[in-house]
């Protein structure tokens, strides 16, 4: 068993925790900018996702240290009240983008090293997919704070002229799954370019990952069904006969 696969077998629940928190965060994301209890809950879930992500990379010392360095400003940004004109708010948003990208790359690196399919392989793949959507959503937010006219919104549906965090998270995930968002559209060349990149990455991710998982599942099923895997060919002579039959 190589080094990259050991964490999955030592801490089997770490990606399950991250996936559960991120799903709850996504479901409550439309109220991310709402003041009161719902707004605080979404902020706490966003901060909890950072902690779960740090726990997910805690098996490797070097990766964990790098994760903590990025996680501290990202955590503080997600539990604080955003200030559109604050340098620290922009720096925290940049740290959130870097942290999301770091976690996505780390998870993908691990699951692509798997030779078989387990529950954690699937959970890890889903976590990487969700963190990709959040990374692009935070990147859109950074562009909107630098250039408020980066997105055009339909005021009849959103009741405001400048896109806010829930709008951009909604736009990010609808772009990632190639559905297309209604009443919000990129109006700047930079946001259009990022939207195309995200849409392509979403399609490529599903195509490549689904193909790999199906291939591993078929290979795993064949190995389980083979006589050798059941112990029928225990002698070297019978193993040679089985190899000759396969050829």
């Amino acid at each position: 068993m190589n080094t990259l696969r050991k964490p999955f077998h030592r801490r089997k629940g770490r990606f399950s925790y991250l996936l559960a928190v991120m799903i709850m965060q996504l479901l409550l994301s439309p109220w991310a900018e709402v003041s009161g209890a719902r707004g605080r809950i979404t902020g706490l879930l966003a901060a909890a996702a950072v902690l779960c992500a740090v726990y997910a990379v805690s098996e490797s010392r070097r990766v964990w240290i790098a994760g903590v360095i990025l996680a501290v400003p990202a955590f503080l940004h997600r539990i604080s009240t955003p200030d559109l004109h604050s340098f620290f708010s922009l720096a925290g948003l940049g740290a959130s983008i870097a942290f999301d990208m770091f976690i996505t790359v780390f998870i993908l690196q691990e699951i692509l090293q798997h030779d078989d399919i387990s529950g954690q392989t699937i959970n890890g793949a889903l976590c990487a997919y969700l963190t990709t959507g959040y990374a692009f959503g935070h990147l859109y937010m950074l562009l909107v704070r630098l250039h408020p006219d980066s997105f055009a919104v339909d005021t009849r549906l959103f009741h405001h002229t400048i896109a806010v965090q829930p709008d951009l998270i909604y736009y990010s995930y609808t772009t990632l799954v190639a559905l297309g968002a209604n009443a919000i559209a990129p109006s700047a060349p930079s946001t259009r370019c990022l939207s195309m990149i995200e849409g392509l990455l979403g399609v490529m991710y599903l195509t490549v990952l689904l193909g790999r998982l199906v291939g591993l599942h078929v290979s795993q099923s064949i190995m389980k069904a083979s006589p050798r895997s059941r112990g029928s060919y225990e002698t070297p002579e019978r193993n040679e006969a089985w190899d000759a039959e396969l050829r």
Side-chain angles (χ1 to χ4, degrees):
M1 184 183 304
N2 57 48
T3 304
L4 290 175
R5 291 181 58 192
K6 287 181 181 179
F8 278 92
H9 294 268
R10 288 203 295 254
R11 292 188 177 180
K12 297 183 178 181
R14 58 194 184 122
F15 287 99
S16 302
Y17 303 147
L18 178 59
L19 179 61
V21 173
M22 292 187 71
I23 289 177
M24 289 188 291
Q25 180 187 357
L26 183 62
L27 292 176
L28 292 177
S29 61
W31 295 278
E33 295 289 334
V34 177
S35 60
R38 289 182 295 183
R40 289 193 293 269
I41 290 174
T42 54
L44 291 175
L45 286 175
V50 174
L51 298 179
C52 290
V54 172
Y55 175 71
V57 302
S58 61
E59 288 289 350
S60 174
R61 179 180 176 83
R62 292 182 180 179
V63 176
W64 180 78
I65 293 175
V68 169
I69 293 174
L70 293 174
V72 171
F75 179 85
L76 295 176
H77 171 260
R78 298 184 187 189
I79 63 174
S80 62
T81 303
D83 184 359
L84 298 179
H85 304 289
S86 172
F87 170 79
F88 295 101
S89 179
L90 292 177
L93 186 53
S96 291
I97 296 170
F99 182 76
D100 291 337
M101 295 176 64
F102 172 80
I103 294 299
T104 302
V105 172
F106 171 80
I107 296 175
L108 287 176
Q109 185 182 15
E110 287 208 3
I111 63 176
L112 290 177
Q113 296 294 326
H114 275 208
D115 296 328
D116 53 7
I117 299 177
S118 64
Q120 286 305 298
T121 306
I122 298 174
N123 290 339
L126 293 175
C127 287
Y129 194 67
L130 291 178
T131 53
T132 301
Y134 273 110
F136 274 95
H138 290 146
L139 187 55
Y140 294 140
M141 279 186 269
L142 180 61
L143 292 177
V144 168
R145 292 190 180 184
L146 296 176
H147 303 284
D149 59 346
S150 297
F151 282 87
V153 296
D154 188 345
T155 56
R156 294 173 298 177
L157 296 177
F158 289 100
H159 306 294
H160 46 256
T161 57
I162 299 177
V164 294
Q165 180 176 341
D167 308 338
L168 298 173
I169 294 296
Y170 160 73
Y171 175 82
S172 177
Y173 278 103
T174 53
T175 302
L176 187 66
V177 299
L179 289 178
N182 294 323
I184 180 172
S187 57
S190 57
T191 52
R192 291 172 184 168
C193 180
L194 285 175
S195 299
M196 289 189 294
I197 293 174
E198 183 179 15
L200 289 173
L201 286 178
V203 174
M204 292 171 61
Y205 183 91
L206 292 178
T207 303
V208 174
L209 187 65
L210 182 61
R212 177 172 175 80
L213 292 180
V214 170
L216 288 176
H217 178 70
V218 172
S219 176
Q220 190 173 326
S221 300
I222 292 175
M223 291 299 296
K224 289 181 179 180
S226 66
R228 180 182 293 183
S229 66
R230 295 195 300 264
S232 299
Y233 291 84
E234 298 177 353
T235 64
E237 293 80 7
R238 291 187 175 182
N239 287 338
E240 292 177 1
W242 172 250
D243 292 334
E245 182 180 346
L246 289 178
R247 290 194 294 268

